[in-house]
Amino acid sequence: MGTLDRLLRDRLAPAFAAVAGRPADPSLRRSQHADFQADGALALARALGRNPRDIAAEVVQRARLADLCKTVEIAGAGFINLTVADDAVAALLADMGRDERLGVKAAEVPETVVIDYSAPNVAKEMHVGHLPSTVIGDAAARLLDWLGHRVVKANHLGDWGTPFGMLIEHLLDIGEAEAAHELSLGDLNAFYRAARSKFDADEAFKERARNRVVALQGGDERTIRLWRLLVDESEKYFLAVYERLDVCLTEKDFFGESFYNDMLVPVVGELDRLGLLRESDGAQVVFPAGFTNRDGNPLPLIVRKSDGGFGYGATDLAAIRYRTRELHATRLLYVIGLPQRQHLEMVFEVAREAGWLSPPARAQHVGFGSVLGPDGKIFRSRSGETVKLADLVDEAVARATTLIEEKNPDLDEATKANVARMVGVGAIKYADLSSDRTRDHVFDWARMLSFDGNTAPYLQYARARILSIFRRGGVTPVRDLARITVTEPAERALAIELLAFEGVVTEVAESLDFHKLAGYLHQVATAFTAFYENCPVLRAEGEVRESRLALSDLTARVLGRGLGLLGIGAPDRM
RNA sequence: GCGCUCGUAGCUCAGUGGAUAGAGCAGGGGUCUUCUAAGCCCAGGGUCGCAGGUUCGAAUCCUGCCGAGCGCACCA
């Protein structure tokens, strides 16, 4: 879990091993009966043929805990209840306070991590469906970067394929200048729909579009230039949305499908040489082990379609091969919706069989559920269309502005605008990050913008309140106290919570279950408000005042850093 | 049919095989001459979908049902 947790575990583990005669899990966890409890003795009872309380007693006798624990008691069937010594808490907190990184060390062995996320389609609007991928991927990028890994953000832009025939022809119809104008306004859907409806209605147009696809794939110079125009304008628009969303994707992070075009022939060739390639119904496919279709027959991953074109399977394989071979990535993250699970698993399996994804390199599908509307169905606007991401951000900021005007009319315009942006955007992001990403979740303005509960505004407010204490008192908390003493129960509870930060961050870096970090931050904020209610800070004196200021400061920093890792800003006043 | 993700308070969600299953919202009752009441406190509210099994101990692991959503070859 964290610094304190790990220390206790390190002391208990050898004692358990000595008693069991082999390594045994102390099974340490937070407890309602003490600060921590170790339940390992119960699990060992049967294997050792001994009474669990006797085992616990022997463990307690062998474990070196005197300097860390005030009391160590055996309770119930054989639980070891540990109450941490105030001195130990004081010293650990002081260490944490001095540390710019709040006790979280940078990775000893930095990995190259490629994070595949966001992935909008050229000439198509970004909508709510892109939100989870963009938000979760961005949090992953920030977290892993902070932990010292080399992060490659791969925005797998949909910039290639048959739709570009009709898009380019439509562009020619309306003229380059007009097209650039429409696209730069962000009216991507109108552009796409216009092209689509002509394609569906007009045979001549359809024919032109088809020929244009051939020209595009053949590398025709003029066609490529027009295609590039579409891509460039769309990228500009996406970057504007990212900017508004406070997402750290930049123009350097676009690795669209077309990026892998030159690798497709070699990839398929290599699959062939490896003996993995099969022909099936005119298409070239690979049958990865362990996948069957509805008839129980082997399920193919199509790499080359019967018309000679490459399928997305080929692109995905080329991307893996490029990422492991050229970028030397050892961790590949795919922040993509759960429905694509099977496809990804198949791609991973083929990549493994081809030797492009072998240990220590590993691929991880960071899947997520759907965003639902109040009716429990896929979130759409009232008119039944998908909701533009840009509009969503506008509405969030507008709603946040109204709230702030109500609650703190004294803020000046500039501060208000800044706060509204952080609160509005933070609320949207936090909604995607605070619940188990594998489950669908309901999009609810009222709940995500509430100042109560597990929401971004609540955490932002908790932090702003702390900074307000410092402003009010005209103090700057010192960060190099020799000890941060805690005595009151509410202080202890907050302190122990703060010491768990490192463990939560470490765990989430692996699992990418950001709701655990979110839940942790909410617990910290809750623990702080209890502390704040019960323990005067500015009105305290001497060492107690210094310690409480330091504790408050540490809380603000944990909240600020935690929110920052989630990609959420925190205003100093609100 | 096979596979994946699920089923926990009225609602939205937590819950690493451990002691009495927790938050928030909504509803009820309190609480500001005192560091931001945008807060806090108290009480109520549960056959953890159902049935078996493993275990000293199961919301958690296994099996089978029921129910929901998604996927299962040339769109990504």
Side-chain angles (χ1 to χ4, degrees), chain A residues 1-5 30 35-36 84-94 96-97 102 484-502 520 523-531 535 547-548 550-552 554-555 558:
Chain A
M1 199 185 292
T3 324
L4 179 52
D5 184 76
R30 292 293 290 280
D35 291 333
F36 293 90
V84 180
D86 293 348
D87 279 352
V89 173
L92 288 169
L93 276 179
M96 187 174 171
L102 300 166
I484 298 177
T485 48
V486 293
T487 49
E488 296 295 312
E491 277 178 319
R492 280 184 62 83
L494 175 59
I496 289 172
E497 205 60 61
L498 289 171
L499 289 173
F501 181 62
E502 185 262 349
Y520 166 75
Q523 273 179 42
V524 168
T526 303
F528 179 80
T529 49
F531 159 78
C535 306
S547 281
R548 288 184 179 170
L551 205 51
S552 303
L554 212 35
T555 305
V558 165

Side-chain angles (χ1 to χ4, degrees), chain A residues 133-369:
Chain A
S133 175
T134 305
V135 168
I136 294 167
D138 210 53
R142 291 171 194 262
L143 173 61
L144 295 172
D145 177 73
W146 190 61
L147 289 175
H149 297 291
R150 177 176 168 243
V151 173
V152 178
K153 290 168 285 182
N155 195 345
H156 200 81
L157 197 65
D159 66 356
W160 200 254
T162 46
F164 283 90
M166 69 178 195
L167 291 168
I168 291 170
E169 284 303 319
H170 176 61
L171 183 151
L172 285 168
D173 283 358
I174 63 175
E176 291 182 30
E178 172 60 21
H181 178 67
E182 280 186 25
L183 292 168
S184 66
L185 284 180
D187 203 359
L188 271 49
N189 282 346
F191 187 91
Y192 190 92
R193 265 200 303 267
R196 181 84 224 176
S197 63
K198 276 196 275 183
F199 185 86
D200 290 339
D202 184 344
E203 272 306 317
F205 182 87
K206 190 179 273 188
E207 186 58 27
R208 276 162 55 198
R210 284 187 179 137
N211 292 333
R212 188 58 69 182
V213 174
V214 174
L216 180 65
Q217 286 167 344
D220 173 66
E221 202 172 304
R222 174 157 179 262
T223 303
I224 292 288
R225 189 179 63 77
L226 296 169
W227 166 78
R228 194 66 238 171
L229 178 69
L230 282 172
V231 174
D232 286 346
E233 290 301 327
S234 296
E235 287 186 353
K236 271 188 231 166
Y237 174 71
F238 297 144
L239 288 170
V241 175
Y242 293 145
E243 170 85 28
R244 296 224 58 205
L245 250 186
D246 192 14
V247 160
C248 56
L249 283 167
T250 69
E251 69 277 1
K252 293 195 300 289
D253 305 319
F254 288 114
F255 290 90
E257 290 162 8
S258 64
F259 179 81
Y260 305 97
N261 281 351
D262 293 344
M263 308 174 203
L264 300 180
V265 169
V267 160
V268 175
E270 202 169 322
L271 287 172
D272 196 12
R273 279 198 301 283
L274 290 164
L276 294 169
L277 209 59
R278 299 282 180 275
E279 185 171 322
S280 175
D281 293 346
Q284 291 180 296
V285 307
V286 179
F287 292 104
F291 294 88
T292 52
N293 66 11
R294 70 187 76 206
D295 303 319
N297 297 319
L299 189 62
L301 181 74
I302 294 174
V303 292
R304 192 150 201 182
K305 300 184 282 186
S306 51
D307 67 1
F310 293 96
Y312 50 90
T315 311
D316 290 337
L317 286 171
I320 292 185
R321 185 168 163 272
Y322 172 76
R323 290 166 185 179
T324 54
R325 273 196 191 169
E326 308 297 325
L327 301 178
H328 305 293
T330 50
R331 195 177 182 193
L332 309 182
L333 302 180
Y334 289 82
V335 190
I336 296 175
L338 247 15
Q340 290 191 50
R341 175 117 194 175
Q342 188 181 41
H343 167 69
L344 278 176
E345 292 295 341
M346 288 173 72
V347 170
F348 295 163
E349 178 56 27
V350 171
R352 277 190 289 266
E353 290 174 13
W356 303 328
L357 184 63
S358 37
R362 61 204 160 115
Q364 196 176 354
H365 178 201
V366 186
F368 52 85

Side-chain angles (χ1 to χ4, degrees), chain A residues 393-450:
Chain A
V393 176
D394 286 343
E395 183 164 355
V397 175
R399 284 173 181 262
T401 305
T402 307
L403 277 176
I404 287 150
E405 277 170 349
E406 267 171 31
K407 296 183 170 176
N408 195 349
D410 300 335
L411 287 180
D412 63 86
E413 284 301 318
T415 308
K416 191 172 74 184
N418 187 39
V419 172
R421 208 174 79 85
M422 287 193 195
V423 170
V425 171
I428 291 181
K429 289 184 169 183
Y430 198 81
D432 269 334
L433 294 167
S434 58
S435 68
D436 184 343
R437 59 181 159 74
T438 60
R439 292 175 38 145
D440 296 348
H441 69 273
V442 175
F443 190 93
D444 182 338
W445 284 116
R447 201 170 60 250
M448 69 175 75
L449 280 163
S450 168

